[in-house]
Amino acid sequence: MASAYILVVDDEPDIRTLLQEILQDEGYEVATAESGEEARRLRRVRRPDLVLLDIWMPGIDGISLLKEWKEEEEDGSTPIIMMSGHGTVETAVEATRLGAYDFIEKPLSLAKLLVTVQRALEAYNLYRENVGLKRQAQPVTEPVGKSEAMRRLINQVRRIAQHDTAVLINGEPGSGKSLFARYLHDSSPRRRGPFVDVGVASLLGDNPAVELFGGEEEGHVQYGLLEQASGGTLFLDDIGDMDIATQARLLGALETGRYQRIGGSEPVETDVRIVAATRYDLEQRIAEGRFRNDLYYQLNVVPLTVVSLRQHAEDIPELLNFYVDYFVSQDNLPYRDFSVSAQNRLRHYAWPGNVRELKNLVQRLLIVGHSSQVDADEVDAALGSAKHAASPAVGVAFDLPLRQAREQFERTYFEHLLREYGGNVNQTAQHAGVERTHLYRKLRTLGIDPKQVE
């Protein structure tokens, strides 16, 4: 992973040169700009990890740039350290109010500057790690299982993680592809960088390319997912759902290591590892003209197949213990253990929903159970209800106004279809007979996240 990239903006050439040399000696990558206009251009070319910004400059002043850049960033996370030789308390307060990380007076104390830079980058990295962790339902740990199939898979992931190549993960719905993608990232040299997890189905809005590659309009920059994942890993879940036009752009970025934002004119260099996952047979989709052959070979540098739960059923007792402990600690559910006969029933169940189905079953049994132990009869009843859950009887609340009753029905209807198709928006749209872009907007209106429907 590359070192932190710092942009120094100051109209005094001696200060620019001094800061560049000092920071490069500390191992940072540094670019310099002598004006606000030049700083805008460099920032469009590549998103910096930190900016050292002088306040008083000819043309565009530093405060104006600070305000502009903080408004452009959705999260406002990039740290900006303001510098000034004519600082006042009012200026420092204004800079802080607008989102500056800190304010340093000239003449610069290099010791203080280096400490401030280090702390700002540590805060930035911590922020990005926290954003990544919020996407996870649980802390990232080594995947659970001591079976031969799981140990072989875990060791394969550890080896692959050390080589900075694209990875294509295959596996059935619910088998844990996203968990292994995250474990691969955390086992790699990029572990301190961001892990950005995106379901490709969520890119099927009005302009998916802008979400992925970013955009420029009237001088304003929108950073896409590729830049948000800079220095880390971009996980593209269900890559088979990506439209052909976006596939072509992604292929160009992988082949050249650079791309242009939508509406932009200058190339942006990429420093990101692509990990993609699919539940489809991509070779079949290639034959159907729905996936690019050349993109498939770019992504499939190192293939990884996550085994289904029925292929490592001997791990079920350990998985049961793991999820019981998880729900007891995270959701404050009552502790229950599974009898030997109950575990035996579960070891011989087909698990069409894989580990995701087992996790949901454990949660349900902890919620509805009354005794301290789950027995075989309770497991049989739970598995029987799971089989019938695919065809739910949708109740109609006649006491509700028409609009609310319709929303209730639509929410139940689409959640049922998404469960049936494993969260696949494309297949759900085909079954429902609606355009997938329309369905995506409908799901957002109903507050349904396809990846969270279980």
Side-chain angles (χ1 to χ4, degrees):
M1 186 179 70
S3 58
Y5 171 60
I6 299 176
L7 175 60
V8 176
V9 187
D10 199 298
D11 62 323
E12 298 182 52
D14 290 345
I15 291 182
R16 289 198 308 274
T17 302
L18 175 64
L19 289 176
Q20 184 174 36
E21 291 175 351
I22 293 294
L23 292 170
Q24 286 177 341
D25 286 344
E26 293 295 315
Y28 300 116
E29 186 179 354
V30 184
T32 63
E34 64 180 358
S35 66
E37 290 83 359
E38 177 69 4
R40 278 176 172 166
R41 188 189 69 79
L42 290 175
R43 182 175 170 273
R44 283 197 300 271
V45 171
R46 181 179 175 187
R47 182 184 189 178
D49 297 310
L50 182 144
V51 180
L52 289 169
L53 179 58
D54 187 28
I55 290 182
W56 307 110
M57 298 182 294
I60 305 169
D61 64 272
I63 293 292
S64 297
L65 280 179
L66 170 66
K67 184 178 180 180
E68 174 185 313
W69 291 347
K70 287 298 179 181
E71 288 177 349
E72 283 183 0
E73 287 190 359
E74 291 184 7
D75 55 8
S77 60
T78 302
I80 299 178
I81 299 172
M82 306 301 294
M83 305 180 295
S84 174
H86 316 283
T88 64
V89 173
E90 291 78 9
T91 305
V93 169
E94 175 68 4
T96 304
R97 186 186 68 79
L98 292 172
Y101 177 82
D102 207 341
F103 183 96
I104 298 178
E105 289 187 304
K106 297 177 182 178
L108 300 173
S109 164
L110 295 182
K112 180 181 179 181
L113 174 72
L114 292 177
V115 169
T116 305
V117 165
Q118 181 181 356
R119 288 177 178 171
L121 288 170
E122 288 174 352
Y124 179 49
N125 290 333
L126 181 61
Y127 169 83
R128 297 204 299 182
E129 288 176 9
N130 287 339
V131 169
L133 288 173
K134 286 178 182 177
R135 294 187 171 102
Q136 307 303 311
Q138 61 196 63
V140 179
T141 60
E142 180 177 299
V144 176
K146 294 184 173 63
S147 64
E148 178 61 29
M150 282 297 289
R151 300 321 302 171
R152 187 166 53 245
L153 181 58
I154 290 170
N155 289 334
Q156 184 182 5
V157 170
R158 288 173 178 166
R159 290 195 303 272
I160 292 172
Q162 305 312 309
H163 304 280
D164 205 27
T165 58
V167 178
L168 180 63
I169 304 178
N170 297 275
E172 295 179 5
S175 57
K177 296 186 291 295
S178 61
L179 171 64
F180 275 96
R182 182 64 196 250
Y183 182 61
L184 187 151
H185 169 77
D186 278 19
S187 301
S188 76
R190 291 179 175 268
R191 66 179 67 89
R192 295 188 178 277
F195 176 82
V196 177
D197 177 354
V198 56
V200 171
S202 69
L203 300 177
L204 299 178
D206 295 331
N207 200 341
V210 170
E211 294 186 54
L212 189 58
F213 300 98
E216 295 182 30
E217 186 176 358
E218 297 179 355
H220 295 288
V221 179
Q222 176 182 338
Y223 294 115
L225 292 166
L226 274 168
E227 281 175 277
Q228 293 174 35
S230 181
T233 301
L234 177 62
F235 175 50
L236 297 171
D237 199 5
D238 284 332
I239 188 71
D241 284 329
M242 183 174 286
D243 64 274
I244 290 292
T246 307
Q247 289 179 35
R249 284 186 175 273
L250 179 59
L251 174 66
L254 291 174
E255 286 180 334
T256 65
R258 56 178 57 192
Y259 60 92
Q260 286 185 352
R261 300 187 193 95
I262 308 306
S265 58
E266 298 187 56
V268 179
E269 295 185 2
T270 62
D271 173 30
V272 65
R273 180 181 198 160
I274 301 292
V275 177
T278 180
R279 74 186 71 187
Y280 301 109
D281 179 346
L282 288 184
E283 292 186 356
Q284 179 181 344
R285 291 179 83 81
I286 290 170
E288 296 168 351
R290 302 170 69 182
F291 202 83
R292 292 183 63 108
N293 185 61
D294 42 12
L295 178 59
Y296 172 72
Y297 287 113
Q298 279 285 340
L299 295 172
N300 199 34
V301 176
V302 181
L304 182 71
T305 300
V306 178
V307 293
S308 63
L309 182 53
R310 58 186 172 276
Q311 292 176 287
H312 62 110
E314 60 267 44
D315 291 322
I316 285 176
E318 188 177 354
L319 284 163
L320 292 173
N321 290 333
F322 176 82
Y323 284 119
V324 166
D325 291 342
Y326 171 74
F327 287 119
V328 168
S329 62
Q330 297 294 317
D331 294 354
N332 201 29
L333 294 178
Y335 178 84
R336 306 184 73 197
D337 69 325
F338 285 73
S339 68
V340 174
S341 59
Q343 292 181 38
N344 186 56
R345 290 282 203 282
L346 295 172
R347 287 189 64 167
H348 291 88
Y349 177 61
W351 297 110
N354 289 292
V355 177
R356 182 191 297 152
E357 183 182 1
L358 181 142
K359 176 184 176 182
N360 294 341
L361 181 71
V362 170
Q363 184 180 31
R364 183 162 65 250
L365 290 171
L366 294 186
I367 291 173
V368 304
H370 301 289
S371 63
S372 62
Q373 188 174 69
V374 180
D375 59 23
D377 290 340
E378 193 174 356
V379 164
D380 287 339
L383 292 177
S385 65
K387 293 174 185 175
H388 294 297
S391 299
V394 179
V396 178
F398 292 101
D399 58 338
L400 291 176
L402 174 62
R403 181 180 60 80
Q404 294 181 24
R406 184 173 61 243
E407 287 183 359
Q408 184 184 74
F409 170 79
E410 289 179 340
R411 185 175 293 106
T412 304
Y413 174 75
F414 286 122
E415 285 178 344
H416 164 62
L417 288 182
L418 286 165
R419 278 193 294 270
E420 185 173 325
Y421 291 111
N424 186 288
V425 174
N426 188 40
Q427 292 180 350
T428 298
Q430 290 177 0
H431 180 101
V434 298
E435 291 290 335
R436 60 186 182 182
T437 53
H438 173 71
L439 175 58
Y440 181 64
R441 287 192 292 271
K442 171 65 72 174
L443 294 178
R444 281 194 294 188
T445 301
L446 296 172
I448 298 174
D449 182 350
K451 296 188 67 178
Q452 300 300 319
V453 174
E454 299 178 333

